[in-house]
Amino acid sequence: MRCRLLLAAALVVFSTGRASAATGFHQLGSVFPAAVQRGTTATVSVRCSSSLEGAYQSFFTPPGIRMTYAETGPVKVAAAGRGRAGTQFKFKVTVPKDQLPGRCEFRLATPVAVSSVSHLLVTDYPVVEEKSGDNGRHEAAQSVPLPAAVCGVCDRAEDVDCYRVRGRAGQQIVCQIFAQRMTEAVHDMVSRGGYHMDPILTLFNSHGQVVAQDDNTYGGDAVVHYRLPAAGEYVLEVRDTRYAGDPRYSYCVEISDQPLIEAVYPLAVQRGTSTQAEVIGWGLDRPQTTTLAAAADEPIGWTRRRLELAEGPSNPVGMLVTDYPQGMLEPRHSTRESALAIALPMGINGRFSEPGAKHWISFQAVKGRWYRFEIEAQRQAMPIDPVVELYDPRGGRLLEIDDSPTSQDPRLVFQAASDGRYCVAIRDLHGRAGPELIYNLRAEEIGPDFELQGEYYYAFLAPGMRTIWFAKINRVNGFTGPVRLEVRNLPKGVSATPVTIPKGMDHAAIILSASQDAKISASLADVIGHAEVQDPSGKPRAISHRGEVNCELQSQGGGQGRWPIHTQLVGVTRPLDLKSVIAKPENLVLVPGGKAEINVKIERSEGFTDPVGLEAAFTYFTIKWGEQLPPGVTVGKGSTTRLTGKTLEGKIVLEAAAGALPVERLPIAAIASVSISFSINTFYASNPVYLTVPAAPAKK
């Protein structure tokens, strides 16, 4: 079932067949050890707010890793609640030898629920776990080999972890910590010390002098690089910058004498071509280049590859494969008068070599047509905060875009007001410069389009039951048409009610139903939107977009946020708190200016007596995260929406304003909401109710 997350989190789920308390989703926490070496099998502990007993399937992105439940007896679940560390459950993890190293997103399914997201790191290096006892002093530092993936926890305030390595003169040491990146999508990381761990790495020589230090390179995660001037022992100190600590502050710091490659420049290559690229990173003995090549039929998008370096194969490095020809911005393209003239569509690669630099490009636009300029940099972990500016043919600045809704990468979309040569300028927000301050700009003419988001992070439902997701589209570039929604790769026995977001609406309900004979199972699903638009020449063109997926986060102060992830998980479970939710009538006509009732009857599972609320939206106080009713249709005051004790029937009264949007057989559902805590509700959905709102009579 779909869970609603509000201000605080306190959730208990029991793994017995019938819950003696309300049932909700599994909130995964951090993992220890945070890393597993590829080609090995290891045991890790996964924190969770509720019991993971009976976990029967794991889902990894990228795929390939196997994770199986490894507890041999009952595990007592610690008290749950906002800011609690959660209970640790053991799992056996097997990583294929050919698995690329890097951070992997994973989720779990049990017979009573599916989980939120956590992360596991795949590493090239042998994993060394932090030993128990005091390792906070240099003289007590734990000795580790080179190379190693050292996994530890800053589990209390003022916790400092020290690790000793021995090196030779001239040897290059590269240390990279994964801490924030391992918990950025964990639902509840609120602690007294802050939210995520904010790690800092400090390298000391044998005399206790600081020789290298770093705080923030990959977000809050640090990278230290140092060439040893003399043979001897060196100590790497790991701590939170605030000296904060929490049992969930699990980290992995890779310590090696191998190069760590950050990126290649240019970042992109056109399909069917090859290009020479500069290698950017730490620990290289000399400047190096590599050949980027993409086959003509290679999938478009970001991919990761190892590079062949003089020192041997590198860590996997991101590279963009595109259909567009690629250009390079140079320092001389620093003014409007010296702008690089381009023909659309095109990809442009740029680097800020001088502080305060600004790059300029120019292009010919046609009145009334739409254009998009989108930067990829921060999303690929480049340490840059780009800004784009748009100038009209007379040199007047029309727009300035800094961030997009989900990243620091800007996306500029505009409709040309006149024919002429327009200019786009790109700069770093802070005026920084350096070999790693690189980006790729996609420049293209576009037509009417849409973007698909929504509240479809996960769902679980018992046989014969239903739940609900909420989809939302953002119409862009003048697009006004309908969007048909499709859900792919649902578990066997689960289906989605066909629904199309009509013209005039930007949202709809996705009602998921499990057949009576559906077996316990789970799968990663995809929400796809389909529409027909006209291209810039006026020809019809079919477009399809996969929905963006965001997880739900609790932030400090009791707020709620969203964070981009890769997966949405659907599971069929054992019977839950409600056995049925029936809504009548199944076909409802609501006249503009009038009212209509949806009568709802629930059936409780034996022993379940908690109150049940009836709703028509996913609401956070006055904020609606998910809607399904057409504009102009609201829930009226005459509704009976709280079912307590033996009360099993209620009603949702819908009211239509005189100007309500006309719709025909739009599928909606009554939502039966079961409170898990002050902040979390589980949503059960009724059978589809097909709502028709006829057009209001024309005024005489």
Side-chain angles (χ1 to χ4, degrees), residues 178-253:
F178 292 82
Q180 282 196 13
R181 286 175 286 179
M182 303 309 293
T183 56
E184 66 183 10
V186 169
H187 167 64
D188 181 13
M189 282 292 295
V190 177
S191 68
R192 291 182 180 179
Y195 196 67
H196 298 286
M197 181 180 177
D198 186 4
I200 184 170
L201 296 179
T202 309
L203 188 66
F204 297 83
N205 64 17
S206 58
H207 302 293
Q209 299 168 316
V210 175
V211 296
Q213 187 179 67
D214 187 57
D215 185 1
N216 302 322
T217 291
Y218 291 115
D221 288 347
V223 176
V224 161
H225 167 236
Y226 186 63
R227 185 185 291 273
L228 306 185
E233 291 186 339
Y234 293 78
V235 172
L236 180 70
E237 182 183 276
V238 181
R239 64 174 174 87
D240 185 275
T241 56
R242 307 151 299 183
Y243 286 96
D246 188 279
R248 296 165 294 179
Y249 283 4
S250 176
Y251 65 82
C252 174
V253 55

Side-chain angles (χ1 to χ4, degrees), residues 439-457:
Y439 63 87
N440 180 267
L441 172 68
R442 186 171 75 250
E444 57 193 348
E445 181 180 348
I446 55 175
D449 207 344
F450 69 92
E451 299 164 340
L452 176 59
Q453 303 96 20
E455 296 295 320
Y456 38 65
Y457 178 20

Side-chain angles (χ1 to χ4, degrees), residues 329-340 357-362 423-425:
L329 281 160
E330 300 177 4
R332 60 188 177 90
H333 301 123
S334 59
T335 66
R336 182 170 176 269
E337 292 71 26
S338 62
L340 173 67
K358 183 182 284 190
H359 296 159
W360 289 79
I361 61 174
S362 67
C423 285
V424 169

Side-chain angles (χ1 to χ4, degrees), residues 87-265:
T87 303
Q88 290 182 302
F89 295 86
K90 292 180 182 178
F91 285 81
K92 182 175 289 187
V93 178
T94 299
V95 180
K97 190 174 182 179
D98 60 354
Q99 188 87 19
L100 282 179
R103 188 188 59 162
C104 299
E105 178 180 303
F106 76 89
R107 309 180 72 164
L108 299 169
T110 76
V112 296
V114 297
S115 81
S116 61
V117 162
S118 190
H119 288 96
L120 181 75
L121 180 68
V122 174
T123 179
D124 277 329
Y125 306 134
V127 172
V128 176
E129 294 185 23
E130 177 188 5
K131 293 181 179 178
S132 59
D134 178 22
N135 67 341
R137 297 170 292 112
H138 289 197
E139 56 269 27
Q142 179 179 339
S143 294
V144 298
L146 280 177
V150 181
C151 294
V153 182
C154 283
D155 59 359
R156 63 190 184 282
E158 301 184 6
D159 188 9
V160 178
D161 297 335
C162 296
Y163 303 99
R164 178 178 287 107
V165 296
R166 177 175 290 277
R168 63 183 185 275
Q171 190 174 19
Q172 298 198 65
I173 302 296
V174 180
C175 309
Q176 173 184 203
I177 191 167
F178 292 82
Q180 282 196 13
R181 286 175 286 179
M182 303 309 293
T183 56
E184 66 183 10
V186 169
H187 167 64
D188 181 13
M189 282 292 295
V190 177
S191 68
R192 291 182 180 179
Y195 196 67
H196 298 286
M197 181 180 177
D198 186 4
I200 184 170
L201 296 179
T202 309
L203 188 66
F204 297 83
N205 64 17
S206 58
H207 302 293
Q209 299 168 316
V210 175
V211 296
Q213 187 179 67
D214 187 57
D215 185 1
N216 302 322
T217 291
Y218 291 115
D221 288 347
V223 176
V224 161
H225 167 236
Y226 186 63
R227 185 185 291 273
L228 306 185
E233 291 186 339
Y234 293 78
V235 172
L236 180 70
E237 182 183 276
V238 181
R239 64 174 174 87
D240 185 275
T241 56
R242 307 151 299 183
Y243 286 96
D246 188 279
R248 296 165 294 179
Y249 283 4
S250 176
Y251 65 82
C252 174
V253 55
E254 293 182 329
I255 309 173
S256 94
D257 56 357
Q258 301 297 310
L260 175 62
I261 306 307
E262 183 177 21
V264 290
Y265 181 71

Side-chain angles (χ1 to χ4, degrees), residues 322-388:
T322 174
D323 267 340
Y324 293 171
Q326 296 295 302
M328 301 281 285
L329 281 160
E330 300 177 4
R332 60 188 177 90
H333 301 123
S334 59
T335 66
R336 182 170 176 269
E337 292 71 26
S338 62
L340 173 67
I342 65 171
L344 304 182
M346 192 169 183
I348 307 296
N349 296 276
R351 166 189 275 159
F352 294 114
S353 302
E354 298 292 335
K358 183 182 284 190
H359 296 159
W360 289 79
I361 61 174
S362 67
F363 65 99
Q364 187 68 33
V366 177
K367 180 180 178 179
R369 292 192 177 180
W370 290 87
Y371 300 89
R372 175 168 57 203
F373 296 83
E374 182 169 5
I375 284 182
E376 291 251 24
Q378 188 266 345
R379 284 171 289 178
Q380 303 305 319
M382 296 297 99
I384 180 175
D385 189 353
V387 177
V388 294

